[in-house]
Amino acid sequence: MSWQSYIDDHLMAEVDGNHLTSSAILGHDGSVWAQSANFPQLKPEEVTGIMTDFDTPGSLAPTGLYIGGAKYMVIQGEPGAVIRGKMGPGGVTIKKTNLALIFGIYNEPMTPGQCNMVVEKIGDYLVEQGL
């Protein structure tokens, strides 16, 4: 399966009538493996901040999580595995696998729980595959 099919067939798939606004799979170095058409361009320092927070959980909390220049308030995640952010009626879930970062950005009516489920399910599958 191509990386783009993970985006098109899984991450952007409908969940209870809702779907993510955008999604992407990036390498730990920030290289884009696959993304939806409207996924924001990440700046190198944003990727560095995300990777630092995975290594040192809580490091993004004081400054916020930035994705394509948009600031998200960091909310409860799973240290070293999942970062979650909230911005207005939407938010983001980022799941770290052995080789990749899985991003899911949502807006209402999708719920945070639906976003978490979609992103973390793919992330867990990739971890099981050694990716």
Side-chain angles (χ1 to χ4, degrees), residues 35-109:
Q35 65 183 20
S36 63
N38 55 350
F39 187 78
Q41 172 106 25
L42 286 174
K43 299 174 183 164
E45 61 270 20
E46 294 172 341
V47 175
T48 300
I50 290 165
M51 290 304 295
T52 299
D53 195 79
F54 279 120
D55 293 337
T56 311
S59 64
L60 285 176
T63 59
L65 164 64
Y66 286 86
I67 297 176
K71 183 179 179 179
Y72 293 81
M73 178 178 68
V74 179
I75 57 175
Q76 176 191 359
E78 297 171 29
V82 179
I83 297 172
R84 297 185 183 105
K86 185 88 173 118
M87 180 174 64
V92 63
T93 300
I94 308 167
K95 169 76 176 180
K96 181 183 178 198
T97 71
N98 298 334
L99 301 175
L101 299 172
I102 316 298
F103 288 78
I105 298 175
Y106 70 94
N107 219 325
E108 287 183 341

